[in-house]
Amino acid sequence: MSTMGLAGCSGSAGSGDVTLKLVAADYGNSPETSSSVYWKKLASEFERTHPGITVDVDVRSWKTVDADVAALVKKGEAPDMAQVGSFADYAEAGKLYSADQVLSVPVQSGFVAQLADAGKVDQTQYGLPFVASTRLLFYNRKLFDEAGISAPKDWDDIRSDAEALKAEGVPVPFALPLGTEESQAETMMWLLSGGGGYTNSTDGSYSIDSDENVKTFEWLQKDLVGKGLTGPVEPGELDRADAFKQFTEGKVGMLNGHPTLMNSARKAHVDFGMVPMPGKDGDAKSSMGVADWMMAFKQNGHAQQIGEFLDYVYSDKNVMDFVKQYDLLPVTYSANSLMAQDTAHNDLREFQKTLNSSELYPFGKSSWSQVSDEIKKNIGTAVEPGADPRQILTRISKDANAADATEAGK
């Protein structure tokens, strides 16, 4: 666990002075790339221009940060702000300020609409998007050239390209990571590609066993896994990190990936291309978007000071400083415009193009974390030989709606 307390350089314990506590996730993978470096610089600069407000930032590993914040809240020691992966539980328990209670109007109205909407619980925004990402289909150009194929435009192309790669001896024609690390993401990409999704657009209930979703998993089971096109490791045993590593080793023909895979592939000298995840018969109805969240707790009553700090955090300069370091997408329209105009970020442009049509996890449901865990543990079995995808998806969907009803009744 990486922890950093940032000493305030303005004000002490005098009258009117406030110390804001922020628990934030670490996006780096070394002391040099740790997010604590970013937050230390930002907090110092903020304190210089905001006398009387000190910012104490505690940067923690992504592996523990959500649980750490939950433990602090349970002990009655909620931070003023937390930058983590979920917010709905705290919003439904009445522990959070809404966005309009802390942010200035320009900042609140500047969020990309899909992201702002995903931050709502019962039509009120509590989750403030912090950074975003989308997913694209990566493919190995060298392997594709050797097999005489081009980037896929629909599912038939995915299958035929994978068959051609297999015939050339490629170990993993299409990597399908449905293991416990992040299979809820891989699943959602395929559900959207097949015209479905996790929830019903009519009433917002979970519809994981919809006909579209069942057909998607039947196709995966029969046309990819069943034809031996996903490599020697069962999809349910394959994690995203392992699939990415195999791609950088030149062993994978195609896989779904996020922006950080670009740098890893480049460092490994893999010549790759990227296209939007194809739909069953052409363009998919939408791509998958991902966001991480900032939230503001009511416990210490520091709404005004929190608002001043968050308005500063969401300035174009500070947003761009963070996303450029970690190859992520900005969450505001103005910062996205800046990124689009900067040729240094040409590689991220393809991801940006899909952001406005992206669909996010149902973050507004406090049951989502529980449902996501069940998907991670069980979805891989739906593509195993002899399995009944409909039966498995129906069980997951039934449990999801039961969890949703339980959370709603609290």
Side-chain angles (χ1 to χ4, degrees):
M1 182 182 298
S2 164
T3 304
M4 174 163 289
L6 304 181
C9 55
S10 64
S12 56
S15 174
D17 289 353
V18 167
T19 296
L20 296 178
K21 295 189 178 296
L22 165 64
V23 177
D26 195 347
Y27 290 75
N29 53 21
S30 69
E32 293 75 26
T33 63
S34 171
S35 301
S36 60
V37 177
Y38 167 85
W39 285 114
K40 181 177 184 178
K41 180 173 180 288
L42 184 146
S44 295
E45 291 171 349
F46 173 81
E47 290 166 352
R48 277 197 294 271
T49 54
H50 295 77
I53 304 177
T54 299
V55 184
D56 180 359
V57 186
D58 186 355
V59 176
R60 304 198 178 201
S61 164
W62 260 119
K63 293 181 180 179
T64 65
V65 68
D66 282 283
D68 292 344
V69 170
L72 288 170
V73 173
K74 189 173 182 180
K75 287 194 295 184
E77 300 173 5
D80 295 284
M81 296 161 287
Q83 186 271 299
V84 291
S86 60
F87 58 86
D89 286 356
Y90 306 115
E92 291 191 350
K95 296 182 181 296
L96 301 181
Y97 287 117
S98 60
D100 60 355
Q101 289 177 309
V102 289
L103 297 179
S104 65
V105 171
V107 171
Q108 187 185 358
S109 62
F111 290 127
V112 173
Q114 283 89 340
L115 305 178
D117 287 344
K120 292 179 179 178
V121 174
D122 295 331
Q123 307 306 310
T124 299
Q125 184 182 357
Y126 295 95
L128 315 179
F130 180 66
V131 288
S133 176
T134 59
R135 300 290 193 264
L136 293 174
L137 181 70
F138 285 65
Y139 63 96
N140 183 312
R141 290 186 189 273
K142 179 174 179 285
L143 298 180
F144 267 56
D145 288 345
E146 290 172 350
I149 54 179
S150 57
K153 296 179 179 178
D154 57 26
W155 287 7
D156 284 341
D157 286 351
I158 289 177
R159 181 185 59 231
S160 61
D161 283 354
E163 288 173 336
L165 292 165
K166 183 180 180 182
E168 287 291 317
V170 175
V172 186
F174 195 107
L176 186 67
L178 295 177
T180 57
E181 182 190 358
E182 207 199 26
S183 55
Q184 84 284 5
E186 185 73 18
T187 297
M188 185 170 176
M189 283 181 265
W190 280 102
L191 298 186
L192 294 173
S193 177
Y198 279 132
T199 56
N200 187 319
S201 59
T202 304
D203 60 7
S205 62
Y206 289 107
S207 56
I208 299 168
D209 59 346
S210 69
D211 287 342
E212 293 87 355
N213 293 346
V214 170
K215 288 175 183 175
T216 293
F217 267 81
E218 287 175 343
W219 186 87
L220 288 172
Q221 180 193 45
K222 178 180 172 232
D223 287 70
L224 277 190
V225 181
K227 293 183 183 298
L229 302 177
T230 54
V233 178
E234 292 290 335
E237 301 297 322
L238 180 65
D239 283 340
R240 181 194 63 182
D242 294 330
F244 280 15
K245 183 173 183 290
Q246 290 176 333
F247 186 78
T248 63
E249 293 169 347
K251 299 175 182 176
V252 172
M254 294 174 276
L255 83 170
N256 290 308
H258 52 60
T260 57
L261 181 57
M262 294 189 302
N263 276 341
S264 302
R266 277 200 202 93
K267 287 176 183 174
H269 306 292
V270 173
D271 184 13
F272 62 91
M274 302 178 297
V275 293
M277 175 65 174
K280 184 175 183 180
D281 301 309
D283 293 342
K285 69 168 187 174
S286 60
S287 62
M288 190 188 82
V290 177
D292 297 327
W293 303 95
M294 181 75 77
M295 55 188 168
F297 284 91
K298 291 179 178 178
Q299 182 177 313
N300 301 319
H302 294 153
Q304 178 185 336
Q305 294 85 357
I306 290 170
E308 290 182 44
F309 180 65
L310 290 180
D311 278 356
Y312 187 77
V313 166
Y314 284 106
S315 68
D316 285 346
K317 176 188 180 299
N318 289 325
V319 169
M320 291 301 294
D321 283 349
F322 193 88
V323 298
K324 283 191 290 188
Q325 181 174 352
Y326 298 108
D327 278 331
L328 293 163
L329 300 180
V331 296
T332 64
Y333 286 113
S334 56
N336 267 287
S337 294
L338 289 175
M339 178 173 276
Q341 295 162 18
D342 188 344
T343 56
H345 302 297
N346 280 348
D347 288 340
L348 285 170
R349 202 157 293 164
E350 289 303 312
F351 291 93
Q352 275 192 291
K353 286 178 184 176
T354 63
L355 183 61
N356 287 334
S357 62
S358 65
E359 187 170 321
L360 283 77
Y361 297 134
F363 285 114
K365 288 178 173 290
S366 55
S367 59
W368 170 242
S369 58
Q370 181 180 339
V371 173
S372 175
D373 283 342
E374 179 161 0
I375 292 167
K376 289 179 186 179
K377 292 173 185 172
N378 297 303
I379 198 66
T381 62
V383 296
E384 290 177 354
D388 181 349
R390 182 178 294 277
Q391 185 180 60
I392 291 164
L393 292 180
T394 296
R395 186 180 73 243
I396 294 173
S397 194
K398 183 179 177 182
D399 289 347
N401 281 307
D404 204 30
T406 299
E407 290 294 335
K410 285 183 178 178

